[in-house]
Amino acid sequence: MEPIATTTMPLPANTYESVSNALPGTYGSLPLGHPGRRRKSLWASVAGLAIAVVLLAAVGVVALYAYIAWALARPTVAPLQSDPFQAAGMAYEDIAFLSDNGAHLLDGWYIPAPTPSGKTVVFSHGYGGNREEIWVPIYELARLAHDQGFNAIMFDYGYVYNSDRVVTGGAKESSDLLGAVRYARERGAEEVVVWGFSMGAGTALQAALRTDDIDAMILDSTFVLEPDTLYHNLKQYADLPREPSLTLLRWLYPLINGSGLGDVPYQRIKSTAYDIPALMIHGTLDERSPYEIIRDVALNHTAANESSEFWLVTNATHELVYRKDKAEYAARATAFLDRVTE
């Protein structure tokens, strides 16, 4: 077999150099671009990441306050546990009536006085409660009014069992209360006293701005939805800053719930000299509506009407003033009712 012939061709002198320059490691480097461009690209990446983090944080903050606005408008309310006859031995009727604006049908109880009477107390329950207000306890106060010769109306605000309704701080609830007052008049009441608790007392103040059909009010632990009380209660659950908390809630509450702070006439409530008599009852340890916030409202009442009274109870908390001193509470309430309905 003949040997295979091979031919050797010499490479050009610069070939090894050009090949080695194209290889990594000891044989050369890959082209990575200009150092200045690399720095600009890095800064752009960092800036993009920072913007993304800020946007994500902003979305998280808005989502948090959106949930707060949603939850505040939809408190969980316990179902009814009793009735006036079982709880206090008072005969009663189941009733239904329209809100003052005719938009909603409301349920309640009508408790006639022991003998025919032209005097009626309309009870106005607070936020998160229903017509019973077990913790007050409202049945005992209804019994007190009953024994004083008053008819009584106990009813639920529209948001209690209606999923289409939300809490509006009294803006819409005041129409519900005025519907109850009108119903009392239709049943023959010549004198109507509204007895409110917490936000139900604040709702009574709003209703009194709109009508002359309320002759007197008993306002226990009055809560008016305004920036100071809103932030005070927000702080009970989370240590959030006043701003942007209030600004975000002012914006989100109506957006989510259809009504907001701007619909509650809190400035008018705080500045109005109500000419109808009122017994305002408040505790010095009220954790929901500090008496320092509500004091000016009370002083306006006492200045405008000599029959008005502000009873500030030492060491009493929100809506638990009656439990603190039942005898004194009953004595002041009955004296006030006698005084304003003589």
Side-chain angles (χ1 to χ4, degrees):
M1 178 180 294
E2 295 182 2
I4 298 174
T6 60
T7 304
T8 301
M9 297 181 65
L11 291 173
N14 62 348
T15 300
Y16 176 81
E17 182 180 351
S18 60
V19 171
S20 65
N21 287 339
L23 294 175
T26 57
Y27 297 102
S29 302
L30 290 173
L32 295 178
H34 194 277
R37 292 196 202 92
R38 291 200 298 273
R39 283 195 295 271
K40 289 180 181 179
S41 176
L42 177 61
W43 280 113
S45 299
V46 171
L49 180 61
I51 291 172
V53 169
V54 170
L55 289 175
L56 185 62
V59 169
V61 169
V62 172
L64 169 64
Y65 284 98
Y67 172 75
I68 292 172
W70 185 91
L72 284 173
R74 296 165 178 82
T76 300
V77 181
L80 295 174
Q81 300 180 29
S82 186
D83 61 54
F85 185 76
Q86 293 181 39
M90 298 179 292
Y92 72 97
E93 305 169 25
D94 289 311
I95 60 173
F97 56 88
L98 286 172
S99 58
D100 184 60
N101 57 11
H104 305 287
L105 188 66
L106 305 162
D107 296 323
W109 295 317
Y110 183 82
I111 306 168
T115 58
S117 173
K119 304 182 295 183
T120 299
V121 167
V122 177
F123 287 98
S124 174
H125 71 76
Y127 173 86
N130 57 32
R131 70 185 86 165
E132 290 185 300
E133 296 267 40
I134 297 298
W135 54 86
V136 169
I138 201 171
Y139 282 122
E140 294 185 21
L141 298 180
R143 182 79 217 189
L144 183 150
H146 181 267
D147 292 345
Q148 287 291 109
F150 284 80
N151 310 302
I153 292 175
M154 301 168 66
F155 75 100
D156 294 322
Y157 281 109
Y159 66 82
V160 171
Y161 302 119
N162 188 336
S163 59
D164 294 332
R165 294 282 303 274
V166 296
V167 176
T168 65
K172 294 183 179 179
E173 290 81 5
S174 55
S175 288
D176 296 349
L177 178 56
L178 289 174
V181 170
R182 183 185 61 207
Y183 181 84
R185 295 288 185 186
E186 291 171 352
R187 294 291 298 254
E190 297 173 357
E191 295 173 291
V192 176
V193 178
V194 173
W195 198 330
F197 305 87
S198 188
M199 191 174 287
T203 299
L205 288 170
Q206 293 182 61
L209 292 173
R210 299 169 50 185
T211 186
D212 293 327
D213 284 336
I214 297 174
D215 297 295
M217 299 182 288
I218 299 177
L219 306 175
D220 185 330
S221 304
T222 303
F223 180 99
V224 177
L225 183 60
E226 48 108 349
D228 288 338
T229 51
L230 176 60
Y231 182 63
H232 176 82
N233 282 270
L234 187 62
K235 289 276 287 184
Q236 305 294 312
Y237 299 99
D239 189 19
L240 298 170
R242 185 179 179 92
E243 290 296 344
S245 297
L246 290 180
T247 297
L248 286 171
L249 287 175
R250 283 194 192 98
W251 173 60
L252 290 167
Y253 203 96
L255 187 66
I256 294 171
N257 303 314
S259 178
L261 271 177
D263 297 316
V264 177
Y266 60 89
Q267 294 287 12
R268 286 186 63 199
I269 291 171
K270 294 169 74 172
S271 62
T272 295
Y274 290 85
D275 59 357
I276 61 175
L279 169 60
M280 295 195 70
I281 303 167
H282 221 85
T284 60
L285 297 183
D286 193 314
E287 71 281 13
R288 299 298 179 202
S289 178
Y291 79 92
E292 295 91 347
I293 295 177
I294 211 66
R295 179 173 49 200
D296 288 344
V297 177
L299 294 178
N300 283 340
H301 274 283
T302 56
N305 192 298
E306 62 181 10
S307 293
S308 292
E309 180 183 349
F310 181 35
W311 180 34
L312 186 61
V313 184
T314 303
N315 295 331
T317 55
H318 192 68
E319 285 196 87
L320 297 179
V321 181
Y322 177 62
R323 289 182 182 271
K324 178 71 175 175
D325 191 341
K326 290 187 177 184
E328 180 71 10
Y329 192 113
R332 286 178 179 266
T334 53
F336 176 78
L337 291 173
D338 286 343
R339 186 166 68 249
V340 300
T341 58
E342 284 179 345

